[in-house]
Amino acid sequence: IYEPLLPEKSQQTVAVEDSPLPDDLTRDSVTLPDLSEPELSRHYVRLSQHTYGVESGPYPLGSCTMKYNPPFAEEVASVDDAFVHPDRSAASTQGTLALLYRLQEYLAEIGGMDAVTLQPPAGAAGEFTGIRIAAAYHEANGDHERTEVVVPDTAHGTNPASAAVAGYDVVEIPSEDGRVDLDALEAAVGDTTAAFMLTNPNTLGVFERDIEAIAEIVHDAGAPLYYDGANLNALLGRVRPGDMGFDIMHYNVHKTFGTPHGGGGPGAGPVGVVSDLVEFLPDPHVRQSDGGFELYTPERSIGKVHGFSGNWLVLIKAYAYIARLGEEGLLDTSAKAVLNANYLASQLDLDVPYEPFHHEFVASADDLDASDLAKRMLDLGVHPPTTKWPDIVDEALMTEPTESESKRTLDQLADAFNTAADEDEEILESAPNRTTARRIDQTSAARNPRLSWQALDD
Amino acid sequence: IYEPLLPEKSQQTVAVEDSPLPDDLTRDSVTLPDLSEPELSRHYVRLSQHTYGVESGPYPLGSCTMKYNPPFAEEVASVDDAFVHPDRSAASTQGTLALLYRLQEYLAEIGGMDAVTLQPPAGAAGEFTGIRIAAAYHEANGDHERTEVVVPDTAHGTNPASAAVAGYDVVEIPSEDGRVDLDALEAAVGDTTAAFMLTNPNTLGVFERDIEAIAEIVHDAGAPLYYDGANLNALLGRVRPGDMGFDIMHYNVHKTFGTPHGGGGPGAGPVGVVSDLVEFLPDPHVRQSDGGFELYTPERSIGKVHGFSGNWLVLIKAYAYIARLGEEGLLDTSAKAVLNANYLASQLDLDVPYEPFHHEFVASADDLDASDLAKRMLDLGVHPPTTKWPDIVDEALMTEPTESESKRTLDQLADAFNTAADEDEEILESAPNRTTARRIDQTSAARNPRLSWQALDD
Amino acid sequence: MTGSPYVPHSAEETAAMLEAVGVDDVTELFDVPDPVRFEGDLDIDARSEPEIRTEIDALLSRNDDLTEFLGRGHYDHYVPSVVDRISARSEFLTSYTQYQPEVAQGFLQALFEYQSMLVELTGLPVANASMYDAATALGEAALFASRVRETSGSTVLVPEYVRDERVSVLENYGAGADITVERVPSAKGTVDTSALMGAANEDTLAVYAENPTTRGTIEPDLDAIGDVAHDNDALFVLGSDPVALSLLERPSDVGADVVVGDASVLGMPTSYGMGLGMFATREDFLRQVPGRLVGASEDDAGFRAFTLTLQTREQHIRRERATSNICTNQAWVALRTAMHVAALGPEGLLETANRMVSLASDVAERLDEIIGVRAPVDDRHHFREFVAHTDQPARAIVDDLAAQGFAIHAVGEHEVQVCVTETNEGSIDDFIAAFREVAQ
Amino acid sequence: MTGSPYVPHSAEETAAMLEAVGVDDVTELFDVPDPVRFEGDLDIDARSEPEIRTEIDALLSRNDDLTEFLGRGHYDHYVPSVVDRISARSEFLTSYTQYQPEVAQGFLQALFEYQSMLVELTGLPVANASMYDAATALGEAALFASRVRETSGSTVLVPEYVRDERVSVLENYGAGADITVERVPSAKGTVDTSALMGAANEDTLAVYAENPTTRGTIEPDLDAIGDVAHDNDALFVLGSDPVALSLLERPSDVGADVVVGDASVLGMPTSYGMGLGMFATREDFLRQVPGRLVGASEDDAGFRAFTLTLQTREQHIRRERATSNICTNQAWVALRTAMHVAALGPEGLLETANRMVSLASDVAERLDEIIGVRAPVDDRHHFREFVAHTDQPARAIVDDLAAQGFAIHAVGEHEVQVCVTETNEGSIDDFIAAFREVAQ
């Protein structure tokens, strides 16, 4: 019987009157929810209860790295001194700059890069930044014919999208046995290639073993090699993108470095580059100065990719996380991330076509519908993997358990996979039944978009 | 399928070895849960999800005042400067003393008292403190024959219990029409009376209209009149215990002043007294000194009732709450607390034998079992009232909605009452069905006490 | 501690797992050629929780303790504790994008509320679930304009008063689509409409204006700006924020086609520029909108339910033909903003907005009384902030005020900018006194 | 704001409710005679959230910023953030005593865990769900002893080293039962067992000792103390804390009948003495135990479930014949303590305990090297803290150290007490340097 009051059911219209502004500069009225604080609290607490988070159970979305987010990082990011205005002088924000500088150094060390900008506010923003840096590099070389960015068919969707936003034509090359086809790559790259974007291990969890050859081919074509950091968790402390020949990379701190995903964001997408590209980094960049830190504009900076300095509070958390783990913790992370994926896969009754995989794998639901299977897993109390992607696997179940799941949880998760895979189709199609909402009609949502309460009839 | 790891299922035994202490001073080993932080988080988050709090919905437990607990009070009580050791000198804790002093003043103002001690850590501890003060007062008067504390049959259980702990014989007098029977009181009090304890409005929500006569009778017998502050929420800003003739009172800050109940505590039970009794207050007491605040021992102090200074963090929250409300907020609180109780009762299909009531009322489940009805209410998404007490009402449902419920919520709550009261007995007896656990066997729990995981078989 | 504190494996479990997988050591699972294996040591020491707390506290305490009278696109409004507390619940904080809506109804509903609030505030029927910040939302708006405009065109007209940083972001976004930015002169701190008319032509893709502007001025004739845009078949993109929108002319009423800006002025404290990009537009452009959209639908039981919708616009499906590359966004900030708006309610929000007008005008008036100061420079109504002329060099004023514990902007040789909200209001007297001291 | 911000009523709702109730004005609902109505004004102004934050921050910042080397019954151990975060969830924080167990399984289970941990640490099979603090738990133990002891008796023997404050509480609790306290001399900072033997007799109700003691010493022969108690048909009541219990002799092994003490040394920061009273005892005394007990049972579906049990001991049922008057207790602190113990695990806890021994001995040794200081005074093993002799008056030492930013105890004319844990460990060097300066 009891339901908290919905904001939309408690709207008030207030007329704009007695404003210090003349009427012609103001609107007439404003209509918004009007809830008391007790009602507000119950409403949002209820909404939280209808949301599955990492602390609710396993969350094995492939390439999303839904690992444990330590609350202590939240606490260190909430100290009063962290809340400064971005237009404060460098002299009066030495604490902020010092922390940013240290994080730049940590990330450079982990990635094997020479310098890192913290400005990009998300992974895709990092990709865009990286491609803009590549563009500026070619521009500086007077190399104006490079109009294409090459990506493999296993690339995350953001790779081609970022390249396209940056104005490039996207050339997609097919994979062979789940890896870059060197011949196809060789054929695709050349004088018109601005960059080759790759994630390694790729979205199948498979390591691009030929990475040295890939780097050589791309570099010979005069293009930088871009590393998509989404899957960096697999390699922490063991393989560094810079050492593999990558020239530009982004880091997803909300994946690899334990900052929470926040229901979709904010994250942060720092970008690392090798020495040749440092002069192109976004403006401003933090460096050491006499006894302190300063902001400067890199010589041929691409300019800004965020209005201010990016997602500062997220960066504090990433710093705290890396400091907590240290080298041994980072090594343990990649070890257990990879062990967990391999162990989980070994317990599944499903086919996993590509291997050896690292921190993630793509199982196939085969003759079942991957989405249906996922919906049934919801009923079993776990979050399902990413479904129906990459297309290279039929009815794909892209699964990344992360290092923070225990053997016991993985066994339960495997049980959920296997139980769902064993159900009658009818049951799968009618799932889920134990969730807040039952199966939601996506088609009618798209066909008849109702995107605000103003658009609702009820 | 997924369940978080239980601490009891993950115990490790660690031998005590290599201690800097000699063996004969140490134990051999210690066996305790060993969980990683991710597992720990999921376990406790799950436990929280299996706990109904004020932000889950209405919580109308009679005499418990389960009102909204503002989170901002939590925040102000978590500032670093609040975390001081109790043995710090007064000179180095002027901030703490200043806040305590201001709270003393606020409470004295609200209660119409002359001085207030903040030391008692809970309401019952406040009662005990108050009775000890009464004892010290009689002792100081050389009045050694006062061995009895008188309470009405409507008194909260803590009243007689506190008097008994303080060494008094308890004399209970019957009520008449839900109020103190003046004749019975007159008959009960005399030279052997140490105090009369009363809550007003009483546990039926009924105001003891004859309070002036009661005070006169008790004072004529040479005994102080004690006010149990559990129901003070009804009177805030409108009636002050001191003005009614009470000499000693306690405040339940976790009821009246919005500090959270914490699943049973901590609360705080400050005690106010009239001027004659100030010299008996617990040691130490805060007072103003030259340009600051100091601690002193009242001349005939009863000594200490808490090892240190009571529940300091709770007191900060109470201060913040009172400051937020101010006079107009306090008045609004009592107005709406009383209106809410009256409105809710008006919507019930159940009999409410005693009235006019104020912030709470006691309905009767009549020929239904009050506990069964309560269990059914759980299924309807609300917390039921206090059941089967006070005995003065058959199958009592002691209900206090508090001021922080809206009309809409009260309507839903009334609906839950009425729906449950209308169910077949069979349904009531098998309730609840939609809760984490179904009806729990209290008898076997008491008959075969298993009070630790060591005592469990499974 | 010899590993990560966030890895739950006991030695026995690790052993059992290795056995199940069929290897002796976890390194065997890495299919990595030797030459690219990293055999060095990472120069990163592990520290304990309290050590890191102490370290970060000490580090950040190097930030001077200044009372900020700073604005220019990043503003401080008091965030009620209830927003902090409830948004910190781990379900909200640690969940992912709502690809499985059946277990994400709570977050989806919150984002739906956020969209709905923006719809009310802007008057435009479509608002997305967040961009990164005001600058990137403006960049997306330019790309959006190039997709939806009927004829081609490549110039975005941007008033002189807009921050260079914001323009730089816009230029980066525009570069790939050959979009260039042309600055349009201001008059009295707002758009010079006749100059704008002169600048606009068939190559104009979009006309951007802000209300309030970066200088705190309120545009007196937004209709005219919109008309210039529409007369040239260009989009009218308006920058604002939710506090201002509750009071100022409704964007839909002045012909705005897109509203961008920073919504995190509600919901977040000053956080070194971390933001929440608003993006709202007209219904007919719906399929070209960048970013996530939450829509209402029904579940199998017929109950209302929410879901991400029109995902075919997005990168994970449409790849290089997506309407944007955005994936991770600012969803949690949007949740906080929605909570903050709900906590204020329409009266509270409007009261705050009105106060921003009177505070700016009061403080300007008081500064104007100081010898050597003229404020405001712009003969306009103001919101939160204003530019003041100082006889002393602005740089010197700023430095001297910093020495007294206050931060303001230098925006010209002899121009400073001052921003007042309810969070620094209590320091106004001290600020004025300090200003009087340094201005002469 | 013209009322409480926590009252949700709109004017229309209030009107509708008044009408339903049948009155015109809410004051009509108050059945209060005029003479006792309060017609004055309360001198309490309402303030906004940010105003109160500023006020309390400013107020508390009057507390000097001292690094504390203080103990004597209230100790500081680092509380992991996970404890703060999860215990702050509103379901835990705002719920009440678990009278409806079906919707309180989570909290009940946490309390059951807490009880179980105490059972392990004390070796005693029954632990309650919390008392207020160590002192009140000792008071309850005395009353408990008077209920369970076979013959009557009225004296509780308490060592000299016990804090006077704790004894005062004990005396208050004992007064009603005519219990008196007799102090027993110490030798080398621990119980003088021969003196104890001399003091004990048939009137002895209970013998109390602490391990570690208030002076930080570790009792060398608890068995002997227990024997004295038992030889006189008295209860042996032992004071300790969960950190010490993980390392020191198990109370059940030395004959303790009751264990009391402050369990909030885990789970809470220093909070001006706010505590968590432990109470554990033998099975045969179960029905006389004061306070709440959580027990395991089954629900109708046959699943394990938890519930408050043996409530007939309690005040709300047994009234004046209850085993205690306690109602509101420290349940939420117990939850935090259980979480903290689980977060440390047995290794972490034991490691912390061992460190308390070595830290105390190391710091004592370093102070002992200072001319004018002798430490420790007591020729015993120590835990966390120790007493040092100073040639200078103790009061002067304490004041001079305070001027240098450190707080310690003065416990005699020429005796100070110093407590070290992991939270002030990082300041030891500075502390020793300061001590050296002031000691000479």
Side-chain angles (χ1 to χ4, degrees), chain C residues 250-264:
Chain C
R250 196 162 62 156
S252 60
D253 292 340
V254 296
D257 301 293
V258 181
V259 173
V260 296
D262 182 4
S264 77

Side-chain angles (χ1 to χ4, degrees), chain B residues 8 43-44 238 319 441, chain D residues 38 55 64 102 113 297 304:
Chain B
E8 67 183 271
H43 170 61
Y44 287 110
R238 298 171 189 277
Y319 178 79
D441 185 352
Chain D
F38 175 64
E55 176 187 332
D64 295 342
E102 293 85 358
E113 287 176 10
S297 185
R304 191 167 93 191

Side-chain angles (χ1 to χ4, degrees), chain A residues 8 19 27 43-44 48 54 84 87-88 106 109 132 238 262-264 304 307 319 340 375 439 441, chain C residues 9 38 43 47 55 64 68 89 93 95 98 102 113 133 163 172 245 272 297 300 304 329 354:
Chain A
E8 64 183 274
S19 169
R27 61 194 291 155
H43 170 61
Y44 286 109
S48 79
V54 165
V84 291
D87 285 348
R88 289 264 296 255
Y106 276 173
E109 176 87 358
R132 289 290 300 149
R238 297 171 189 276
K304 292 190 65 66
Y319 177 78
N340 276 5
K375 296 299 178 198
R439 183 87 65 106
D441 184 351
Chain C
H9 304 57
F38 176 64
D43 184 19
R47 282 93 91 190
E55 176 187 331
D64 295 341
E68 299 173 343
R89 287 175 65 87
L93 200 59
S95 62
Q98 298 74 28
E102 293 85 357
E113 287 177 9
D133 73 342
R163 284 183 75 110
N172 258 319
L245 286 172
Y272 205 56
S297 186
D300 271 0
R304 191 167 91 192
N329 50 25
N354 274 318

Side-chain angles (χ1 to χ4, degrees), chain A residues 169-224:
Chain A
D169 297 329
V170 174
V171 176
E172 191 177 286
I173 57 170
S175 299
E176 192 187 359
D177 282 340
R179 291 191 178 78
V180 170
D181 178 341
L182 292 185
D183 295 336
L185 178 64
E186 190 111 40
V189 301
D191 291 348
T192 56
T193 305
F196 180 54
M197 301 180 81
L198 186 66
T199 185
N200 195 14
N202 64 29
T203 54
L204 298 166
V206 169
F207 194 83
E208 300 283 358
R209 249 188 242 126
D210 300 322
I211 186 61
E212 292 165 288
I214 292 171
E216 199 177 334
I217 293 169
V218 173
H219 289 154
D220 284 351

Side-chain angles (χ1 to χ4, degrees), chain B residues 31-53:
Chain B
T31 303
L32 283 170
D34 191 19
L35 278 76
S36 68
E37 190 175 312
E39 290 167 310
L40 188 89
S41 294
R42 285 194 186 152
H43 170 61
Y44 287 110
V45 164
R46 182 68 61 106
L47 293 193
S48 79
Q49 289 164 344
H50 292 174
T51 304
Y52 188 102

Side-chain angles (χ1 to χ4, degrees), chain D residues 181-198:
Chain D
V181 174
E182 190 181 322
R183 303 296 280 256
V184 177
S186 300
K188 300 185 183 174
T190 54
V191 168
D192 179 339
T193 37
S194 56
L196 177 67
M197 235 175 291

